[in-house]
Amino acid sequence: MGKKYYILILFWVFFLKLNAQQNPFSEIYFSLKYLENMDIKDLHEYWEANHGAYLSTETNFYTGFIGIGVETQYFESRNLQQPDYRTLFINISWRYKLEISGKAGISAGVRSGSYLMLFDDSEQSEFENTESELAVSSFVNIDIPVASCLMVNFNSDFITVFTKKRVKLFNASAGLTYIIETPKWIKNVLE
Amino acid sequence: MRRLETNIILILLIASQTYAQVNSDPFAETFTKYDLQEKSIITLNDIFSLSHKWKSSTINGYSNRASGNGLSTYQRQNFIVLVNGQKFDISFMDDINLDNLPFTIEQVDSVVFINSPINYKGYFTQSGLIEFILQKPAEGFSLTAMQSIGNMAGDPGPFAYTQYRSSNIDKLGFVAGIGLTSKGDNWQLTTSVKYNENFITDKSLSNRISMLTESSKQKLIGTSAEIGYNFLNGYHNFIFAFNQNDDFIFFPIYGNEIPSKRILRHTGFAGNFPIGKSITINYKITKSINELARSDNSLNLNFDLKLNTTVIGSGINYNNSYFNSGFNLVYEKYDGNRSGLNNDEQFNFLKLYWTFSFNPLDKIDQSFNAGLVKNSKKNIYKASWLTSYVPANGHSLTLNASYFESTLTEDLNYFTWTANGLPLILPEVVEKELIGNQSGKSFGLDFIYDGKFKLINTSIGGFVRRFEKYYLDNYYYHLSSKTKYLTGELQYSTMENITQIGLNAGLEFFLTKQLTGDFSYTFMKGIEGSEQFLLEWRKFPIHSFRCDLNYSNDGFAVWWRIQYSSSSYWEDYKYLTAQTFSFYNHDLKGKILIDLSFQKYFWNNKIWINLLFKNLLNQEERYSPIGIKYGLRFYLITHLRFESLLN
């Protein structure tokens, strides 16, 4: 229930601040993060979540930042009845950042997209080895600039995968973000 | 001889201006390509969600049975479908799947719904009409494309390997289409190809279909070409279309789906040209072939009818500053090819439509529409009389009083083609012939008030309709525990009557330059009549409302919809509720649904991407007791538009 309120508040912020950004798409942020699972809720009985990685690209939007990304994680089975599986979370994200000083700040956001599960199950057909499902994540991110074009960031992320019995994951991650000014041709495409 | 010629010219001169339709506009709802994008329309079947006056029901989730403003039941699917003014005969056996039209939503410029019985472009719209106006090509060479992919929540995910295993919902339908257009000084060419596929994964449907075939995928491929040219100061166009839909057609008489290849071939040539300043001549010649061809299934079920349709028509329109007048004459031939007959079975119709519009008083317009349909057995009459009062600019009140007759022959459905005693499905699974009264009549009064103010547009309308001496096919379905098929017990009845009323209100508001929205409410109920007809009408929700909000700025938009439909009751399936422990339920509960969409143009409006979430609250969403259950789902829709590439 708390997550619903979180998303609702972010949605209001999105509308209230929609005209705040005067120069959208002016910068591009490339991020690579290492992630570690903190909790896998009901999956814990059957699988152990290994570390993973998150690669994303963001740009400043009319308000906040919009981006696309892909996150991968490996789940190791605790017994023979369940196969190991790898996930790919291909998502679109939006976050709103409260800037504290310069580019340093704390941001809150949501990600949504297709959560692809690739099962290491040689007995099943190829079709059943792969499954995708809608996933939504709410996250909090801290950015600390270390150079004019480089930031260190720390992230906590709560993911819900909308399977019939929900998959819920809590991940923490840390990584680097590299910032460039948007090339004119890319800006033309984005606009 | 000269006197005869003069008389003919005189008759034609006072004949109507069928295309002008001054007074019929209030009963037309038009949605532009921008509305289609804003309201996240993905397939042609989705357009029913545009008009709050049309109700629709679906079993498989990708094709509908529809009713326009209470003009028909879900049993009779006779609304007319036009594409750029040409009629497409896609109604076949009381089934209309708009996706059988061979173009995608990307190629549509606007959609027009006609919600009252009137003469519209040479057709009497007694069951409603939908017209697709396709986009005109840009100068030079252009390329358009679209695709949509979606997924519904509720798969088992990794829990498939645990005690929490559940069935796979799998992805939603895939839609893709490409259009190539070219335009010169006096000509234009439009070509298109489209491909759809849908997966039968919902147990409500797959339980029945899996007993007949291993296939669990519906797939459709369609292609079309339109050549238009300006000649004799008029416009003339030739349309060719081919569509093949490997589908599972739900056939009410059988009670289950039958795997079939639905094939449509259409060629049409139509145009108009003026004579002087006041007279316009129009003509049309169309030929189409409708077929439900055999598709592999374990019972070897096969439809035994190939329908060749020929339509030849012409009209003359005259208008001056005092009146508009027009006369249309259409000959239609339906030629059914059956395996059990040496000669084809034929139904021929000669249709005459006349419209006369004039202004008897300042601020009052009148339009009289009359029609005569003549076939070998009898004459069928249709008429409507529209009166519009326009007290001020932007405000109008219109009344339409209508009367029409209808017959079984016009319906061209299962009962029409089995009247000769031959079965329609081989091997013969049902044998039912309609005996009794086969013609009905209807009286109606429709009204609508439209008002335009500074920040809001309003529309308030309603109707009272009386249907008399109609035939109905009533079913009582049971589940065979051995085969998992539904078995239908058909009881047709004739001399059925109903009086129904409807009320609808719409409000369009413009809060700021960026924030707009609309609200609509409809009420529809059968208030008096025979029991079977009243039960049939209970399939429509009595109350429904909808509110849309749209924020758009600088190529970016957020669209939000909340809608409510009250419950509906389906007598046909009342025994199934207990038999299946409510797996199928004849009482469809009322539901509140919320949709949300984020839309963005890229590359100077060349690319448009829409991320759409439907049923955000993950409510049980079902539109037929034996149909699939929807829940939370999301779609990614992409449209590409590259215009005037070689200029």
Side-chain angles (χ1 to χ4, degrees):
Chain A
M1 185 58 87
K3 194 177 172 188
K4 281 185 183 169
Y5 286 120
Y6 172 88
I7 291 173
L8 201 62
I9 290 166
L10 279 178
F11 200 64
W12 274 113
V13 171
F14 177 84
F15 268 104
L16 289 172
K17 298 277 183 180
L18 207 46
N19 291 315
Q21 177 63 255
Q22 296 301 310
N23 191 13
F25 314 117
S26 58
E27 289 177 325
I28 297 180
Y29 297 66
F30 296 102
S31 298
L32 181 64
K33 294 183 184 109
Y34 167 85
L35 68 88
E36 196 69 54
N37 178 264
M38 300 285 112
D39 191 7
I40 56 173
K41 304 279 182 187
D42 293 333
L43 282 181
H44 183 76
E45 194 181 331
Y46 309 101
W47 284 277
E48 190 179 336
N50 282 348
H51 45 256
Y54 181 45
L55 180 68
S56 67
T57 304
E58 285 183 306
T59 181
N60 47 330
F61 201 46
Y62 302 97
T63 179
F65 295 82
I66 192 168
I68 53 171
V70 59
E71 181 179 297
T72 180
Q73 204 168 357
Y74 195 74
F75 293 79
E76 208 170 322
S77 170
R78 290 182 186 277
N79 50 56
L80 291 173
Q81 280 77 45
Q82 287 83 33
D84 300 343
Y85 70 98
R86 177 171 295 286
T87 62
L88 287 173
F89 180 22
I90 303 155
N91 61 75
I92 294 171
S93 67
W94 176 82
R95 67 189 168 100
Y96 184 72
K97 187 173 177 181
L98 282 171
E99 290 187 342
I100 298 163
S101 171
K103 288 195 183 302
I106 182 164
S107 48
V110 288
R111 293 188 291 156
S112 181
S114 188
Y115 192 86
L116 200 64
M117 293 159 270
L118 312 164
F119 297 99
D120 294 340
D121 184 2
S122 55
E123 290 177 10
Q124 299 288 329
S125 68
E126 191 184 330
F127 179 72
E128 288 171 320
N129 273 347
T130 307
E131 200 176 303
S132 70
E133 190 52 271
L134 170 69
V136 175
S137 115
S138 48
F139 63 89
V140 176
N141 187 74
I142 296 168
D143 291 326
I144 302 168
V146 290
S148 61
C149 62
L150 197 66
M151 290 191 299
V152 174
N153 40 53
F154 301 94
N155 189 292
S156 70
D157 196 358
F158 188 78
I159 302 171
T160 302
V161 185
F162 284 83
T163 44
K164 181 148 190 173
K165 181 176 174 57
R166 303 282 190 258
V167 171
K168 293 183 177 179
L169 306 165
F170 180 53
N171 292 332
S173 61
L176 290 172
T177 297
Y178 182 71
I179 308 164
I180 63 165
E181 193 179 318
T182 308
K184 202 172 175 183
W185 70 270
I186 293 181
K187 204 171 176 196
N188 280 343
V189 170
L190 292 173
E191 285 174 344
Chain B
M1 190 65 180
R2 190 173 177 82
R3 191 185 170 96
L4 180 68
E5 281 174 5
T6 311
N7 283 340
I8 290 170
I9 289 169
L10 205 64
I11 290 166
L12 293 177
L13 281 178
I14 57 170
S16 87
Q17 213 288 346
T18 324
Y19 281 75
Q21 294 299 320
V22 177
N23 293 317
S24 64
D25 284 346
F27 293 107
E29 287 178 288
T30 303
F31 298 90
T32 66
K33 59 183 177 183
Y34 303 108
D35 297 320
L36 268 55
Q37 282 198 341
E38 177 194 302
K39 294 178 190 300
S40 298
I41 303 300
I42 303 171
T43 67
L44 299 177
N45 268 303
D46 286 346
I47 63 158
F48 295 112
S49 69
L50 290 168
S51 169
H52 63 277
K53 293 175 186 170
W54 283 64
K55 309 289 178 202
S56 65
S57 161
T58 179
I59 293 175
N60 54 29
Y62 53 85
S63 66
N64 297 294
R65 281 180 177 255
S67 168
N69 208 22
L71 288 167
S72 75
T73 61
Y74 285 144
Q75 290 187 357
R76 300 284 86 82
Q77 296 294 288
N78 292 334
F79 60 88
I80 296 164
V81 178
L82 302 183
V83 178
N84 284 355
Q86 273 191 35
K87 185 182 174 199
F88 267 63
D89 280 297
I90 61 169
S91 172
F92 195 48
M93 299 298 124
D94 272 325
D95 179 83
I96 298 183
N97 179 354
L98 290 178
D99 280 318
N100 284 330
L101 295 170
F103 49 85
T104 66
I105 212 76
E106 163 63 27
Q107 287 152 290
V108 177
D109 183 69
S110 58
V111 182
V112 181
F113 293 86
I114 302 292
N115 304 314
S116 188
I118 54 170
N119 274 359
Y120 179 84
K121 296 194 175 179
Y123 300 97
F124 192 78
T125 62
Q126 65 191 53
S127 299
L129 179 147
I130 294 174
E131 181 175 21
F132 291 93
I133 312 285
L134 302 183
Q135 293 191 32
K136 289 195 171 81
E139 291 288 335
F141 177 74
S142 303
L143 167 76
T144 61
M146 81 156 285
Q147 80 142 29
S148 164
I149 50 170
N151 204 344
M152 185 153 74
D155 283 345
F159 292 110
Y161 298 95
T162 73
Q163 59 178 310
Y164 304 110
R165 183 182 177 89
S166 59
S167 59
N168 204 336
I169 302 286
D170 204 20
K171 61 182 173 179
L172 293 169
F174 171 77
V175 181
I178 294 178
L180 293 172
T181 66
S182 190
K183 184 172 185 288
D185 290 339
N186 284 314
W187 60 273
Q188 62 184 51
L189 171 68
T190 304
T191 59
S192 70
V193 179
K194 85 164 180 183
Y195 179 77
N196 286 11
E197 61 181 31
N198 287 282
F199 302 87
I200 312 299
T201 53
D202 191 293
K203 287 284 176 196
S204 307
L205 200 57
S206 63
N207 277 355
R208 299 194 297 271
I209 288 174
S210 62
M211 304 299 286
L212 275 173
T213 174
E214 288 178 0
S215 169
S216 61
K217 195 196 283 186
Q218 171 266 350
K219 51 186 181 181
L220 176 155
I221 187 154
T223 183
S224 70
E226 180 177 1
I227 301 162
Y229 62 96
N230 300 316
F231 179 61
L232 292 174
N233 295 320
Y235 180 72
H236 312 261
N237 69 338
F238 174 82
I239 297 179
F240 160 81
F242 172 81
N243 197 79
Q244 179 170 319
N245 188 356
D246 290 356
D247 201 357
F248 310 96
I249 310 286
F250 178 79
F251 205 61
I253 290 102
Y254 176 49
N256 301 278
E257 287 72 14
I258 298 177
S260 304
K261 289 182 199 300
R262 175 81 164 81
I263 298 169
L264 170 72
R265 300 176 187 90
H266 171 98
T267 49
F269 185 50
N272 59 70
F273 56 90
I275 298 175
K277 286 181 181 174
S278 304
I279 298 174
T280 307
I281 305 287
N282 67 72
Y283 65 91
K284 59 192 166 197
I285 303 166
T286 63
K287 174 98 182 156
S288 60
I289 301 172
N290 261 297
E291 190 179 353
L292 276 167
R294 189 177 180 282
S295 193
D296 284 344
N297 63 82
S298 59
L299 295 179
N300 287 319
L301 292 169
N302 184 24
F303 286 94
D304 184 28
L305 178 69
K306 188 175 178 181
L307 187 59
N308 286 274
T309 308
T310 308
V311 178
I312 301 169
S314 183
I316 182 165
N317 309 300
Y318 174 81
N319 72 78
N320 63 25
S321 53
Y322 303 106
F323 65 86
N324 301 321
S325 185
F327 181 80
N328 273 275
L329 181 64
V330 182
Y331 169 74
E332 292 179 6
K333 185 174 89 170
Y334 296 89
D335 184 311
N337 186 272
R338 314 285 296 273
S339 61
L341 292 174
N342 291 329
N343 299 313
D344 290 355
E345 195 174 359
Q346 285 184 7
F347 295 100
N348 299 295
F349 298 94
L350 188 63
K351 299 183 175 181
L352 294 94
Y353 294 113
W354 177 62
T355 299
F356 186 77
S357 306
F358 64 107
N359 302 83
L361 294 167
D362 188 29
K363 298 181 179 177
I364 290 183
D365 299 333
Q366 297 243 295
S367 180
F368 181 72
N369 303 293
L372 167 68
V373 176
K374 191 174 172 57
N375 73 2
S376 57
K377 289 180 183 167
K378 67 180 291 186
N379 294 336
I380 307 153
Y381 299 97
K382 301 163 195 293
S384 74
W385 183 19
L386 288 98
T387 304
S388 279
Y389 172 57
V390 187
N393 266 349
H395 296 262
S396 66
L397 174 66
T398 306
L399 295 169
N400 181 26
S402 59
Y403 166 81
F404 58 85
E405 298 169 349
S406 56
T407 62
L408 172 70
T409 316
E410 276 185 293
D411 290 337
L412 289 166
N413 60 16
Y414 169 85
F415 299 106
T416 318
W417 291 104
T418 52
N420 56 14
L422 282 175
L424 188 71
I425 307 169
L426 298 174
E428 195 170 339
V429 287
V430 279
E431 187 185 1
K432 281 284 177 185
E433 187 184 337
L434 186 69
I435 299 166
N437 182 61
Q438 297 178 355
S439 58
K441 53 188 174 184
S442 172
F443 310 89
L445 186 65
D446 292 62
F447 75 94
I448 189 161
Y449 162 76
D450 281 316
K452 286 187 169 59
F453 300 90
K454 194 177 177 185
L455 294 175
I456 56 170
N457 294 338
T458 59
S459 169
I460 298 168
F463 58 81
V464 180
R465 296 194 207 296
R466 173 77 181 165
F467 293 92
E468 281 187 0
K469 298 179 183 174
Y470 272 70
Y471 71 93
L472 290 175
D473 36 324
N474 310 302
Y475 306 90
Y476 292 94
Y477 293 109
H478 298 265
L479 182 75
S480 162
S481 55
K482 201 183 284 183
T483 61
K484 290 192 181 176
Y485 296 138
L486 303 182
T487 51
E489 186 187 313
L490 169 61
Q491 295 175 359
Y492 58 76
S493 51
T494 57
M495 308 297 281
E496 297 282 340
N497 305 319
I498 195 169
T499 304
Q500 48 140 338
I501 57 168
L503 187 69
N504 50 68
L507 190 69
E508 200 179 358
F509 47 88
F510 311 93
L511 296 175
T512 67
K513 198 176 171 186
Q514 287 91 16
L515 191 60
T516 58
D518 56 78
F519 171 86
S520 58
Y521 166 78
T522 59
F523 168 85
M524 200 165 80
K525 193 176 181 186
I527 54 167
E528 183 275 327
S530 49
E531 189 187 352
Q532 286 302 335
F533 221 150
L534 287 167
L535 283 170
E536 188 60 29
W537 230 263
R538 287 181 67 186
K539 291 177 181 172
F540 302 126
I542 294 175
H543 305 276
S544 54
F545 82 75
R546 199 174 71 193
C547 183
D548 288 6
L549 275 178
N550 188 57
Y551 174 89
S552 65
N553 187 21
D554 204 15
F556 171 70
V558 182
W559 173 79
W560 178 84
R561 164 175 286 182
I562 181 165
Q563 60 184 324
Y564 167 78
S565 289
S566 61
S567 60
S568 58
Y569 176 86
W570 299 64
E571 173 82 356
D572 318 17
Y573 302 102
K574 68 178 181 182
Y575 299 123
L576 285 179
T577 307
Q579 281 185 345
T580 64
F581 302 102
S582 294
F583 178 71
Y584 296 131
N585 198 325
H586 69 295
D587 255 320
L588 294 184
K589 291 177 190 161
K591 50 191 173 282
I592 295 178
L593 303 171
I594 295 177
D595 300 338
L596 178 67
S597 139
F598 299 92
Q599 304 161 15
K600 175 80 179 85
Y601 276 106
F602 295 96
W603 199 2
N604 298 318
N605 299 342
K606 290 184 181 68
I607 301 171
W608 181 78
I609 291 178
N610 180 0
L611 181 64
L612 168 67
F613 296 88
K614 297 197 94 165
N615 194 352
L616 272 180
L617 300 179
N618 202 19
Q619 299 291 292
E620 183 178 309
E621 187 183 349
R622 199 173 208 177
Y623 297 94
S624 164
I626 58 161
I628 68 163
K629 279 184 199 168
Y630 272 134
L632 170 65
R633 55 204 187 274
F634 80 104
Y635 300 84
L636 184 68
I637 308 149
T638 310
H639 288 218
L640 304 177
R641 179 162 287 273
F642 298 97
E643 292 189 328
S644 304
L645 283 174
L646 303 178
N647 282 16

